[in-house]
Structure formats: structure tokens, C-alpha cells
Amino acid sequence: MAMIRTRLSIMMFLQFFIWGGWFVTLGTFLANNLNASGGQIGMAFSTQSWGAIIAPFIIGLIADRYFNAERILGVLHLAGAALMYGLYVASDFSTFYPLVLMYMIIYMPTLALVNSVSFRQMSDPGQEFAKIRVWGTIGWIIAGLGISYLFAWDSSQGIADGMLRNTFLMCAIASLALGLYSFSLPATPPKANGPVGLKEVLGLDALALLKDRNYAIFFIASILICIPLAFYYQNANPFLAEIGVTNPTGKMTLGQVSEVLFMLLLPVFIHRFGIKKTLLIGMLAWALRYALFAFGNADEMVFMLLIGIALHGVCYDFFFVTGQIYTDARAGEKFKSSAQGMITLATYGVGMLIGFWVAGQITEHFSTNGAHDWQGIWMFPAAFAIAVLVLFFLTFKNDKSVTAKPNV
């Protein structure tokens, strides 16, 4: 089992090294090297959402039914390596955009595939999976540290020289390695049998949960809070680089370290404060983070920016992971899988799609000749998160049925 765990950990490391190796600096690269507008940058980031929307079709209608998971994982990453090389050589946004769209359509399904390969090799996923999944976060962190501290691609001179283009070449090589490596992973044959409809694939049969007023409020809040979330993914790295923060990509890995630490604390918070207060803490953290970004700077107030980055664990874990736990508890045995599919489609699909569009429009509105009014940009998601928090506080009734210490 130790050897299988090591092999699965390598898979997870490469899976998230690839994502963290180019996605974090995407906005900075597009703005500085392809002269992309705020709206165009929003379009590029929204490819993640299109990938999330299309992924269930690839997994539910194809991968789960006809092919071994490790084989389709290999094929997708080999295709991804070719597309990543295309992004490396793309010279303008009109060439770049269709390639990044195709890439995300084939990358997002691999997130479910690596989980499938892992779960099928475990006798007790509840105890074993976290020890393997953490290597994905480590992969993301190593990619960011390498970009900043090993290669200095995100330094002011590196950005000016177009060195961030190398992130795509680095990830093309990693994707090629994972594609080939995937064929050596333990066999994970398809499990689905019989006809499967679109309702099951997309999790739409779990829409019955929305008849519960409390869950419907949570569902709407989840979509709305994705708008502030999109601002972080799209703007944090360009913001830090533009105002002169050194090694911005490396410093942003503090967010992933925070995510791991707060994941360990999450069960304690849910057990002690309940679902409603934990979700409210997560929403408040989004508002606080953006207020810190709005008033911090690269000099004497840089600590405010670092605290804002470090709040990522609270922002993400206390709302999105707590939301997954709440969804699992409310769904019951009948809708467990489809309910998780539904909330993922609603947040990373619909919510983030709206969020990236809004972030692009707001960023463009506060931009003049390539310079940004970052305070104005960051105050919008801060105010938006507060508005969602107030509405949620006033309408969501504390759910005492989900207070037991969860197994996360």
C-alpha cells in the first residue's frame, strides 16, 4: 500500500503543479505580454468555468462508462501538453484564447479523474485520501515558489522581458510527464452500468433539495460569493506585481499553506459554532481580505497584503468546504453524489462564470492607459461580500442538524 500511496501522491503533485504553474500568473502575463484588456482577461479566466460545466459530460457520459480512468487521464494530459506548448508560442490574445479554452475543457475533467483513481485504490478513503491530496497542494506551492524564487519570472524585469511565457513551457513538460506516467498507474476500470441520463450526470436530480428554504438560500449565496472569489483568482497576481511587491507568485503560496492549516481547524469550528456561523466567518473573511488589499501597499503596509493572502484558508475552507459538508448532510444517501455535482456546477461553473465576467468589467472600468485604481477595484468585491453576508445572516436559519464533528 505504501508504494501505491507514493505513486498516487506523485500523480496529485503533478496534477496541481500544472494548474498552479500557469493559472496564478495568467492575468499578469496577459496584461503585460499580450496587451489584453480587463474584459479579455476575464474571458481567459472564465475558461475554467466552461471546463467545469463541460467536465460532467466527459466524466459521466464517457470516462465512467467506457474507459479506464487512468488511461483517459493520460490521454487528456498528453493533449494538454500540446495545448500548453501552443499557449507558450501564442503571440496575441486571438490565438491564445481558443487554445486556453480547449485546454481547460480537457483539464477540468482530470480533477475528477485523479480522485477516481485514488479512491479506487483505497480501503478507507476517509482516512487515506487527505494524506494523498495534500501533495496536490504541495505541488501548487512548489510551482509558485519556483516561479518567484528559482526563476524570478515574475520579477519586474522578468515580466518586462516576457519571462512569464515560460510558465506554459514548464507546465507543458509537466503535463507530458503526467500523461505518460498515468499509463503506469493502477488499473481503474469503469464502474457505471446501464443508461445514465443528463439529470444524473449534471446532478440535476438533486434540485429537489432547493425545496428546502434554508438550502435554497445557501445555494444562492454560494453562487453570489463566487463573484468576490473570481476577483482573487483574476486580479491578485497582477495587483501584487503592478504595485511592486517582490516575488508575488511565491508570496501567494502562503494562501495554499493557510488552506491546509485551516482545513485541519474546520471540523472544530463546525462542531463549536455550527454551520451558519462558520459560513458567515468565511464570507466576512472575503470582505476583510479585499479591504486589506484596497488599503495595503508594497512598502510599510505590505503586512496587510500578506494577511489578505493568508486569509485564503478561511475564505475558501470556511465557506466552500463547509458548504460541501452541509450539502452532503442535507442530501442524504439518495442524492449525495448528485448534490455535490450540482453545487460544483453552480459555483465553479455558473457562479465563477458570472464572477470572472464581473471582475473583468470592474477591472476595465478602473483602468486608465494600463494603470489601475486598485483601491476602487478591491472595494467592489469587499462591499459585495458584505452584502451577501448580510442577506445570508438575515434569511438563513441556523441548522442544528449539522453540528457533529465531521470527518474531513
Side-chain angles (χ1 to χ4, degrees):
M1 182 59 202
M3 179 59 69
I4 291 177
R5 184 182 302 148
T6 299
R7 292 167 67 190
L8 296 176
S9 298
I10 292 170
M11 174 190 71
M12 282 291 182
F13 179 92
L14 289 171
Q15 174 75 22
F16 287 91
F17 177 93
I18 293 166
W19 198 2
W22 69 277
F23 196 71
V24 174
T25 57
L26 176 61
T28 306
F29 170 76
L30 290 174
N32 289 276
N33 300 118
L34 296 188
N35 298 314
S37 66
Q40 288 175 323
I41 294 172
M43 285 174 58
F45 274 95
S46 68
T47 59
Q48 173 189 274
S49 300
W50 289 117
I53 291 169
I54 295 171
F57 293 92
I58 296 176
I59 300 300
L61 296 179
I62 300 174
D64 279 352
R65 304 188 57 74
Y66 301 111
F67 301 100
N68 278 24
E70 82 283 358
R71 292 176 186 172
I72 195 167
L73 179 67
V75 170
L76 291 177
H77 274 299
L78 290 177
L83 289 168
M84 268 287 146
Y85 185 78
L87 295 173
Y88 168 66
V89 300
S91 58
D92 53 55
F93 187 79
S94 62
T95 304
F96 186 94
Y97 178 73
L99 292 173
V100 75
L101 176 60
M102 287 188 287
Y103 179 79
M104 289 308 275
I105 287 173
I106 66 172
Y107 178 84
M108 294 306 286
T110 65
L111 297 173
L113 288 169
V114 293
N115 288 346
S116 295
V117 171
S118 299
F119 287 138
R120 294 281 289 278
Q121 314 307 319
M122 298 174 186
S123 57
D124 186 359
Q127 294 295 319
E128 300 170 41
F129 181 68
K131 298 174 184 177
I132 291 170
R133 175 58 183 83
V134 72
W135 282 97
T137 303
I138 292 171
W140 187 294
I141 291 171
I142 294 297
L145 294 177
I147 289 169
S148 282
Y149 297 105
L150 181 60
F151 302 117
W153 290 338
D154 63 347
S155 64
S156 297
Q157 188 61 49
I159 293 171
D161 292 341
M163 299 301 287
L164 280 178
R165 186 179 299 276
N166 293 328
T167 59
F168 302 106
L169 180 60
M170 175 181 74
C171 294
I173 295 170
S175 190
L176 176 64
L178 181 52
L180 296 174
Y181 179 72
S182 296
F183 291 101
S184 74
L185 292 169
T188 310
K191 292 183 69 174
N193 293 304
V196 178
L198 288 181
K199 285 179 63 177
E200 290 80 6
V201 169
L202 297 176
L204 299 182
D205 53 343
L207 285 173
L209 290 174
L210 299 181
K211 295 177 182 177
D212 181 295
R213 178 181 177 274
N214 236 22
Y215 189 82
I217 291 168
F218 159 75
F219 186 82
I220 293 169
S222 296
I223 294 174
L224 292 176
I225 208 68
C226 282
I227 294 176
L229 171 62
F231 274 80
Y232 180 74
Y233 285 146
Q234 185 167 317
N235 286 336
N237 193 264
F239 160 66
L240 296 172
E242 186 175 309
I243 67 172
V245 174
T246 57
N247 307 119
T249 312
K251 287 184 170 66
M252 284 183 68
T253 63
L254 183 62
Q256 275 62 52
V257 175
S258 163
E259 186 179 329
V260 174
L261 293 176
F262 280 104
M263 187 77 75
L264 299 175
L265 293 174
L266 183 59
V268 177
F269 272 81
I270 294 176
H271 180 64
R272 182 167 182 177
F273 298 109
I275 286 290
K276 181 175 182 177
K277 289 182 180 178
T278 304
L279 290 169
L280 286 170
I281 290 170
M283 293 185 212
L284 182 61
W286 282 110
L288 177 59
R289 149 183 272 184
Y290 292 134
L292 290 167
F293 281 1
F295 295 102
N297 59 48
D299 300 313
E300 70 278 0
M301 296 296 181
V302 71
F303 72 93
M304 296 175 69
L305 305 181
L306 296 178
I307 293 172
I309 294 169
L311 278 171
H312 183 71
V314 184
C315 293
Y316 184 80
D317 293 340
F318 280 48
F319 190 88
F320 289 97
V321 177
T322 298
Q324 292 167 1
I325 293 169
Y326 177 59
T327 296
D328 184 76
R330 299 302 298 168
E333 290 300 323
K334 183 178 180 182
F335 294 126
K336 275 191 186 295
S337 296
S338 54
Q340 293 294 340
M342 178 184 71
I343 195 67
T344 300
L345 185 68
T347 52
Y348 281 93
V350 177
M352 292 290 281
L353 190 63
I354 298 169
F356 285 128
W357 181 84
V358 172
Q361 298 303 309
I362 294 297
T363 303
E364 199 160 332
H365 176 75
F366 285 99
S367 302
T368 305
N369 298 323
H372 299 87
D373 173 9
W374 286 111
Q375 189 171 97
I377 291 171
W378 291 125
M379 288 308 293
F380 179 89
F384 197 96
I386 287 292
V388 177
L389 182 151
V390 171
L391 288 172
F392 186 81
F393 175 77
L394 294 175
T395 58
F396 186 91
K397 296 181 179 179
N398 196 28
D399 196 328
K400 299 187 187 308
S401 67
V402 193
T403 55
K405 189 172 182 178
N407 183 16
V408 294

